[in-house]
Amino acid sequence: MHHTHLVVETRQIDPVEDLLAYADPARPLAWLRRGDGIVAVGEPFAEIRPTAEPGQTRLEALATFWRGLSAQADVTDPLGLPGTGLVAFGAFTFDPSSTADSVLTIPSRVLGRHGDRFWETRIRLAEDTARPTALETRPYGPHWAGTVGPGAQSPQGYQDAVRAALERIADGELSKVVLARDLRGTVPAGSDLRRLVRALATGYPDTWAFAVDGLIGASPETLVTVQDRTVTARVLAGTIGRGADADADTAASTHLASSVKDLDEHQYAVQSVLTELRPHTRALAASEQPFLLKLPNLFHLATDVEGELEEGRSTLDLVRALHPTAAVAGTPTAAAVSAIRDLEPFDRGRYAGPVGWVDADGNGEWAIALRCAQFTATGGAIAVTAYAGAGIVAGSDPESELLETRVKFRPLVDALA
């Protein structure tokens, strides 16, 4: 049995114009942001789809598995950049009770880029001494278009769900719940899904563009990152819409920065993140004052949290501790998750769950799977389900929340068309 450990070799290579051109057209595995990132080449080395043991979540099972595998691996990595060495891509369900599966995929070969440096990593069993085949691009398949229409939650049903949520909020059961709706449809059999990943990566360079086990999207929301064992997380809580002109914009930002209610909500969110991360980190600190983060349509109060990863921990432990956040479930979280189970007529699957990668040292980058769709090969046409949600609070208007989901669907629906 002693030969079954992994041998992992990373080497620097000449620049590659398009990482995605080397990926599998039917099952791309990719993580990209501003041109940097990692893409799997060829068949995966392994896919782990855990079933939870009693008293243990699937995520705990994965963290334990990854820790054991990493400890046994023989890694040669002269570059030490984000995404070099032994890596696995992951996509996990939003709700632990989901019927969909969480997956950790270990590629057999990876191409990566960080700034002007490029690399190839090979992951194999110690006894597998076969020479690797030459790296070859796979030409992009023809353009394709998908059609999506209302899913399990119709536009009318969505507005009714928002009204039901508002009643629960009025009863004091919870102060915020994020409700989603779905669009379902198909894309033609044999479609080259790399086209969608490429469109999202180039169209939305500031998001995390991802493709993991048929889950493809471009997320604006980071969950947590670890590099050189430094943990960073950004807390966004407290929001106001941007003004129609410069004066209104200034007024909105000033209002948010001085709103006691929003500052209180923000501090509460910061404290809860510190509490969740503390068992897995050392020297954890948050800036004293939140800053204003300006997005195209919103201002957020934001705080950056930083610490050092505790020995023997990995980003998977942090992901487990932080998920689900108030940003994708609501406040208080447990009440919000229970309201989502009651009010959404579908299983979210991996929508709003953690998606990202982890390496042998516990480093990694994880986002929340938003602005995304799940593609499932059915033998014929490829089934696709897209999701979008909106945060419901007291005073929310069902019609404007429906419109907000429409805006959030747009990047994906446009790219599908």
Side-chain angles (χ1 to χ4, degrees):
M1 279 299 282
H2 64 282
H3 292 304
T4 57
H5 70 273
L6 291 186
V7 173
V8 182
E9 292 152 317
T10 294
R11 63 185 184 93
Q12 188 152 323
I13 58 170
D14 290 335
V16 168
E17 196 175 318
D18 175 15
L19 295 178
L20 278 170
Y22 295 85
D24 181 339
R27 301 198 55 194
L29 200 54
W31 178 264
L32 301 161
R33 182 172 184 153
R34 297 193 191 105
D36 286 355
I38 49 177
V39 168
V41 180
E43 285 289 305
F45 174 79
E47 290 183 342
I48 294 86
R49 299 171 189 273
T51 47
E53 298 299 315
Q56 186 189 45
T57 65
R58 291 184 274 193
L59 269 183
E60 272 175 290
L62 280 173
T64 308
F65 165 82
W66 184 249
R67 196 171 294 127
L69 187 80
S70 300
Q72 301 272 300
D74 174 7
V75 181
T76 307
D77 174 13
L79 281 79
L81 295 170
T84 58
L86 173 61
V87 293
F89 295 81
F92 309 139
T93 59
F94 168 77
D95 189 327
S97 65
S98 169
T99 56
D101 52 3
S102 294
V103 64
L104 198 62
T105 302
I106 304 168
S108 54
R109 208 164 180 181
V110 179
L111 283 184
R113 173 184 182 174
H114 186 78
D116 54 6
R117 299 178 77 188
F118 293 78
W119 64 89
E120 178 195 2
T121 300
R122 281 195 71 217
I123 299 171
R124 61 181 172 87
L125 288 174
E127 72 254 32
D128 173 14
T129 52
R131 295 287 309 271
T133 52
L135 277 172
E136 282 184 353
T137 59
R138 304 179 63 170
Y140 284 91
H143 278 279
W144 51 267
T147 50
V148 288
Q153 182 65 293
S154 68
Q156 186 53 54
Y158 184 73
Q159 293 184 62
D160 293 341
V162 172
R163 286 184 196 98
L166 288 167
E167 283 172 25
R168 293 184 180 218
I169 290 168
D171 292 344
E173 216 176 292
L174 67 175
S175 59
K176 173 187 170 181
V177 60
V178 180
L179 285 185
R181 67 186 185 101
D182 59 332
L183 294 176
R184 287 172 195 239
T186 56
V187 302
S191 294
D192 188 336
L193 295 179
R194 297 175 302 173
R195 284 191 172 278
L196 177 60
V197 185
R198 188 172 65 171
L200 292 170
T202 52
Y204 302 90
D206 282 336
T207 64
W208 302 104
F210 56 86
V212 180
D213 199 48
L215 182 75
I216 298 177
S219 174
E221 193 108 18
T222 307
L223 185 61
V224 64
T225 64
V226 183
Q227 186 52 31
D228 298 327
R229 304 194 68 78
T230 298
V231 178
T232 48
R234 174 169 283 182
V235 183
L236 302 180
T239 306
I240 198 167
R242 297 282 305 270
D245 56 37
D247 289 348
D249 217 27
T250 308
S253 66
T254 310
H255 175 83
L256 181 62
S258 56
S259 151
V260 174
K261 175 191 168 290
D262 287 291
L263 288 164
D264 281 354
E265 183 197 341
H266 185 79
Q267 271 338 108
Y268 172 81
V270 171
Q271 287 313 316
S272 91
V273 165
L274 292 173
T275 305
E276 286 149 2
L277 290 180
R278 205 161 273 127
H280 311 284
T281 53
R282 285 194 296 260
L284 191 65
S287 47
E288 295 268 312
Q289 290 295 323
F291 62 94
L292 275 173
L293 183 68
K294 191 152 103 178
L295 293 177
N297 55 339
L298 300 168
F299 285 111
H300 286 299
L301 291 175
T303 295
D304 286 332
V305 172
E306 193 173 291
E308 192 189 333
L309 194 63
E310 189 69 73
E311 228 23 76
R313 299 285 181 185
S314 86
T315 4
L316 294 176
D317 297 298
L318 309 181
V319 163
R320 197 177 88 231
L322 290 171
H323 176 75
T325 66
V328 289
T331 322
T333 311
V337 169
S338 145
I340 288 165
R341 282 179 190 149
D342 292 347
L343 299 174
E344 288 180 359
F346 53 84
D347 182 323
R348 283 187 176 192
R350 299 155 178 172
Y351 164 71
V355 61
W357 63 269
V358 60
D359 78 3
D361 295 323
N363 297 312
E365 295 176 320
W366 291 84
I368 296 166
L370 302 172
R371 319 284 158 89
C372 64
Q374 178 69 53
F375 293 79
T376 312
T378 54
I382 302 164
V384 56
T385 307
Y387 303 89
I392 315 303
V393 294
S396 286
D397 167 59
E399 205 170 332
S400 20
E401 300 304 329
L402 179 68
L403 285 175
E404 185 176 323
T405 63
R406 247 172 230 162
V407 169
K408 289 175 175 174
F409 270 127
R410 193 167 301 135
L412 206 92
V413 170
D414 285 355
L416 281 174

